[in-house]
Amino acid sequence: MLYVKESRATGKLVYVRWALFFFNFLFWGFGVAAVGVGIWIAVSNGDISVITNGLFRSGTILVIVGGCIVALLGFLGWLGAFQEHIGILSAFMATMFVVCILEMAGGIWAGVNRPVIVTHLRDNLYNTIILKYGQRSQIPTTRAFDHIQRNLQCCGVRNYTDWAFSVWGTTKNFKPFPVPSSCCLPNYFIDGCGEDTNVRNVTYPANGIYVNGCFNALINSMTQHNAVITGIGVTVGILQVIGLILAGLLIYNYNESNRVSAINSIRKVEDGEGDNNNNSKDEKEKVEDGERDNNNNSKDEKEKVEDSDSKVTDVKEDSKNNDAELEDVKDDV
């Protein structure tokens, strides 16, 4: 026969328990979603990570790790609610509280240091196109920047004129200054189009190429990704608060239930001891009553014996008196 454990949650707390099931399932789902989004951002924007010296990759790794932690917490909360285990629920609450604090600290740090991060990104972009682009030892960086310019439809950092100061541009004999082929518009794209006089010349240096810089394009791209991450983060944060409240209610209810059970057990023991004391008292009273009856019976028997002895004594005295009277009669005769 299948044994089903009876739930300790009663009344409205039954709904609280099921709500904790539901919210932890959502919490787990958002954790898995965060992992998926982090992996997607890391794979689709690997070139940005190369350009930013790993800063962008560190952020995506943080999203992936955070998603794993969130998913694990969701499972832990669900298990604690299912088992109605105070220890698991307490561990869930404590870990969730720490995660909330870390999330708030991370958000505050990112907000406070956003200007520093943006400046770091801009400096890395300038350093890339001026010193690294086109160098034999920097082939991955060159490919990454070409990929960024094509996908984000941009050229240079601030604009296309930044290429006039690049080490790569000084090796080209083109006036006014060459730009990589990745800067060319799709209709003009051929290998070497950025230094083709049929596309660009001194009179029309911006002809056939993207003119806007990649810095603003990158910021806009990251902002779009940040919107997705922020949306997930806010939703997960709301679920965290709800999960903390529901878990706290269940823990309080289970502690109260244990306290009441302990009090009832103590009362039962005390009642049992009281009954035993009463029974012992009754037995003692019965014994005392029996002894008292025996004493009374003994006293009555003693009194009866004394009465008998008194009667015998009276008989003897009567007999003695009779004998004396008889002697007197004899003397008279």
Side-chain angles (χ1 to χ4, degrees):
M1 181 178 179
L2 181 63
Y3 173 74
V4 180
K5 180 183 176 181
E6 184 180 357
S7 175
R8 289 190 289 170
T10 58
K12 294 181 180 180
L13 286 172
V14 174
Y15 301 103
V16 172
R17 181 172 176 244
W18 282 105
L20 189 59
F21 280 149
F22 176 72
F23 279 106
N24 275 292
F25 177 76
L26 289 181
F27 198 58
W28 174 85
F30 274 104
V32 174
V35 173
V37 170
I39 293 174
W40 170 69
I41 293 176
V43 172
S44 62
N45 295 275
D47 298 326
I48 297 178
S49 180
V50 173
I51 300 300
T52 58
N53 289 337
L55 179 64
F56 190 76
R57 178 174 295 175
S58 299
T60 55
I61 291 175
L62 184 62
V63 171
I64 294 172
V65 173
C68 292
I69 294 174
V70 167
L72 181 62
L73 280 176
F75 174 76
L76 187 66
W78 176 88
L79 181 63
F82 178 77
Q83 294 289 337
E84 297 184 297
H85 196 288
I86 294 178
I88 297 177
L89 288 174
S90 299
F92 166 75
M93 280 193 66
T95 308
M96 183 74 76
F97 180 76
V98 172
V99 169
C100 288
I101 296 299
L102 292 177
E103 288 174 348
M104 289 189 292
I108 293 172
W109 180 88
V112 171
N113 292 278
R114 187 178 187 278
V116 177
I117 296 173
V118 170
T119 301
H120 179 73
L121 174 61
R122 184 178 60 246
D123 292 343
N124 278 329
L125 290 175
Y126 274 118
N127 184 59
T128 297
I129 69 170
I130 292 174
L131 299 177
K132 296 181 180 180
Y133 186 87
Q135 305 303 307
R136 292 183 179 180
S137 61
Q138 300 292 334
I139 293 177
T141 302
T142 300
R143 290 177 178 174
F145 207 87
D146 283 335
H147 183 75
I148 289 174
Q149 292 190 135
R150 282 193 298 268
N151 284 351
L152 299 182
Q153 298 180 350
C154 58
C155 187
V157 179
R158 184 175 57 87
N159 56 43
Y160 72 100
T161 61
D162 293 329
W163 288 105
F165 308 99
S166 67
V167 174
W168 170 81
T170 61
T171 64
K172 306 292 183 179
N173 185 20
F174 182 81
K175 300 299 180 181
F177 54 86
V179 296
S181 300
S182 56
C183 285
C184 295
L185 296 172
N187 293 337
Y188 293 92
F189 179 78
I190 59 172
D191 189 21
C193 59
E195 45 190 304
D196 187 348
T197 56
N198 294 322
V199 178
R200 299 176 60 238
N201 52 53
V202 176
T203 306
Y204 302 102
N207 187 56
I209 64 172
Y210 302 114
V211 297
N212 295 323
C214 293
F215 174 70
N216 288 333
L218 273 174
I219 294 298
N220 292 334
S221 177
M222 291 181 180
T223 301
Q224 292 175 357
H225 292 151
N226 285 339
V228 175
I229 295 173
T230 301
I232 294 176
V234 170
T235 305
V236 170
I238 294 173
L239 291 178
Q240 285 175 327
V241 174
I242 294 175
L244 284 172
I245 295 173
L246 295 177
L249 288 174
L250 284 179
I251 291 174
Y252 176 78
N253 175 71
Y254 296 153
N255 283 330
E256 283 295 305
S257 177
N258 291 340
R259 187 180 67 84
V260 172
S261 298
I263 291 174
N264 291 335
S265 298
I266 293 173
R267 286 177 177 175
K268 287 181 180 179
V269 171
E270 291 176 348
D271 292 341
E273 292 178 352
D275 293 338
N276 292 333
N277 291 334
N278 291 333
N279 292 333
S280 299
K281 186 177 180 180
D282 293 339
E283 292 294 331
K284 185 177 180 180
E285 290 177 353
K286 289 180 179 179
V287 170
E288 291 176 352
D289 292 339
E291 292 177 352
R292 192 179 297 110
D293 293 338
N294 291 333
N295 291 333
N296 292 332
N297 293 332
S298 299
K299 186 176 180 180
D300 293 339
E301 292 294 332
K302 185 177 180 180
E303 290 177 351
K304 289 180 180 180
V305 170
E306 290 176 352
D307 291 339
S308 298
D309 292 339
S310 176
K311 290 179 179 181
V312 170
T313 302
D314 293 339
V315 170
K316 288 181 178 181
E317 289 179 354
D318 292 338
S319 177
K320 186 176 179 180
N321 292 330
N322 292 330
D323 291 339
E325 291 178 356
L326 182 62
E327 289 293 332
D328 292 337
V329 171
K330 288 182 178 181
D331 291 336
D332 294 336
V333 174

